[in-house]
């Protein structure tokens, strides 16, 4: 089961147990009273809709969360910290090919003897491409004909509204295929199909006002019914497991009426976990 299927199943379970999921609701502002979030205002099909709640779990970017609060409620210093939090945006291109030019020179056995990597980090300075995923090696079930074709994911790190972000789909796809060919991964004539996706604020970055993130966390924790979870919700480069764990910790606090949210913020802060350059 991939991540998308996981959340589809979760959504089905929520509905089965009487929950309601509101889709296409863009949160644009937050209403506050007596150190509590009382409601959020959403944009729905061009109209505004207020949703009232007792508990709010936020996975939206902290930057957007704070900016969406009424300015008279937020101290200027906190607003400045939120405004200055940096992000890297993300562009990915799926490329289905007949075969790869690179060969499996390891002793690891793979389907059709393709290279065994799930990720390949690209070091060549002459291309903008950052990383390649080989989906066949995550699971052959992700590919329709895994014995005949290879499904690649090309990952690009961009800034919203830079020249890469603003290329149209066809232009960017052709650009990325040219880069793959340039570094000897594929031959252009072997491409069968392509798809492009853009994701804003995919990677929280640790510079600019991030040095004052503790002040921001302390301020957020003054709202007793607000819980920030996930990568963007905490402005931390968490993987999927850590992101889910922050939500589990939040639910545990809610169920047990725990007011100290430090356990939620402390997920993935252990120094022993992080990779080191050898």
């Amino acid at each position: 089961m991939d991540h998308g299927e996981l959340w589809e199943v979760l959504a089905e379970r929520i509905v089965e147990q009487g929950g309601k999921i509101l889709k296409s609701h863009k949160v644009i502002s937050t209403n506050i009273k007596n150190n509590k979030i009382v409601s959020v205002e959403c944009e729905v099909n061009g109209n505004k809709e207020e949703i009232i709640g007792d508990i709010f779990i936020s996975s939206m970017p902290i930057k957007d969360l704070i900016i969406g609060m009424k300015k008279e409620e937020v101290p200027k210093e906190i607003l400045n910290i939120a405004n200055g939090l940096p992000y890297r945006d993300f562009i990915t291109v799926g490329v289905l090919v007949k075969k790869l030019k690179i060969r499996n020179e390891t002793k690891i056995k793979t389907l059709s003897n393709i290279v065994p990597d799930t990720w390949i980090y690209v070091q060549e300075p002459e291309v903008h491409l950052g990383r390649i995923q080989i989906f066949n090696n995550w699971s052959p079930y992700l590919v329709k004909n895994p014995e005949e074709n290879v499904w690649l994911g090309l990952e690009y790190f961009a800034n919203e509204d830079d020249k890469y972000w603003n290329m149209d789909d066809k232009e960017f796809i052709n650009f990325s295929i040219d880069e793959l060919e340039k570094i000897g991964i594929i031959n252009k004539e072997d491409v069968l199909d392509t798809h492009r996706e853009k994701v804003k604020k995919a990677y929280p970055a640790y510079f600019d006002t991030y040095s004052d993130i503790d002040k921001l966390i302390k301020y957020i924790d003054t709202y007793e019914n607000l819980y920030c979870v996930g990568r963007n919700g905490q402005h931390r480069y968490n993987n999927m497991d850590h992101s889910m764990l922050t939500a589990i910790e939040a639910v545990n606090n809610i169920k047990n009426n725990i007011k100290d949210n430090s356990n939620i913020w402390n997920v993935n802060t252990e120094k022993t976990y992080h990779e080191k350059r050898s």
Side-chain angles (χ1 to χ4, degrees):
M1 180 183 292
D2 68 19
H3 291 148
E5 290 174 322
L6 171 65
W7 301 121
E8 288 170 1
V9 172
L10 176 63
E12 290 172 2
R13 298 280 175 82
I14 290 171
V15 173
E16 286 171 4
Q17 295 179 35
K20 188 176 181 181
I21 299 173
L22 303 178
K23 298 181 180 180
S24 302
H25 282 59
K26 180 182 179 182
V27 176
I28 54 176
S29 65
T30 306
N31 297 316
I32 300 163
K33 186 176 181 181
N34 298 327
N35 286 338
K36 282 189 174 184
I37 310 296
V38 293
S39 67
V40 292
E41 293 182 12
C42 300
E43 188 178 281
V44 188
N45 298 322
N47 299 313
K48 285 186 178 180
E49 182 178 326
E50 183 182 15
I51 298 177
I52 298 169
D54 298 317
I55 296 168
F56 293 84
I57 300 175
S58 172
S59 62
M60 70 191 297
I62 288 181
K63 184 174 192 171
D64 297 340
L65 173 68
I66 298 298
I67 291 173
M69 293 178 176
K70 300 292 188 294
K71 286 185 172 58
E72 61 271 16
E73 297 279 353
V74 183
K76 186 175 181 181
E77 181 187 22
I78 298 300
L79 194 58
N80 289 339
I81 294 169
N83 265 313
L85 288 177
Y87 298 83
R88 295 301 302 276
D89 303 299
F90 180 69
I91 305 171
T92 184
V93 177
V95 181
L96 185 68
V97 295
K98 296 178 183 177
K99 59 184 178 181
L100 302 176
K101 283 183 70 176
I102 53 175
R103 300 187 181 280
N104 184 9
E105 297 179 355
T106 74
K107 295 180 180 180
I108 301 172
K109 293 182 179 181
T110 61
L111 194 63
S112 300
N113 200 37
I114 63 172
V115 292
D117 307 82
T118 49
W119 272 312
I120 298 174
Y121 287 83
V122 179
Q123 305 297 327
E124 284 80 353
E126 65 268 23
V127 296
H128 189 65
L129 177 62
R131 191 167 68 175
I132 303 168
Q133 287 198 68
I134 303 177
F135 294 115
N136 299 53
N137 293 332
W138 286 111
S139 169
Y141 297 104
L142 294 173
V143 187
K144 186 175 182 180
N145 298 307
E147 294 182 344
E148 300 175 14
N149 303 323
V150 183
W151 185 235
L152 303 174
L154 314 185
E155 301 184 7
Y156 287 86
F157 310 105
N159 291 312
E160 194 177 336
D161 294 329
D162 68 14
K163 68 175 183 178
Y164 301 104
W165 190 267
N166 286 323
M167 287 184 184
D168 63 35
D169 286 349
K170 184 177 180 181
E171 182 184 13
F172 192 88
I173 286 169
N174 289 336
F175 164 76
S176 64
I177 290 172
D178 287 341
E179 290 208 324
L180 265 188
E181 189 171 53
K182 183 186 292 186
I183 60 176
I185 303 295
I186 66 165
N187 288 317
K188 190 183 297 186
E189 59 267 25
D190 289 328
V191 174
L192 299 171
D193 198 7
T194 57
H195 179 76
R196 182 200 191 193
E197 290 287 343
K198 299 193 293 185
V199 181
K200 295 179 181 179
K201 295 183 175 71
Y203 295 99
Y206 295 168
F207 50 91
D208 291 348
T209 58
Y210 180 78
S211 58
D212 289 321
I213 191 73
D214 287 345
K215 294 180 182 178
L216 197 55
I217 291 171
K218 186 176 180 180
Y219 174 76
I220 289 170
D221 281 346
T222 62
Y223 297 102
E224 57 185 79
N225 64 338
L226 174 62
Y227 303 84
C228 290
V229 302
R231 177 181 286 187
N232 275 327
Q234 295 198 340
H235 200 89
R236 184 175 297 143
Y237 185 41
N238 287 328
N239 61 27
M240 182 63 74
D241 293 331
H242 287 130
S243 296
M244 289 191 290
L245 184 55
T246 60
I248 291 169
E249 292 290 339
V251 171
N252 180 66
N253 283 13
I254 293 165
K255 288 176 64 178
N256 294 289
N257 198 31
I258 297 171
K259 300 300 183 184
D260 180 5
N261 289 334
S262 58
N263 58 318
I264 305 172
W265 294 104
N266 285 339
V267 171
N268 190 23
T269 57
E270 303 88 351
K271 292 182 179 179
T272 54
Y273 169 80
H274 298 280
E275 297 174 2
K276 292 183 180 178
R277 180 180 292 180
S278 58

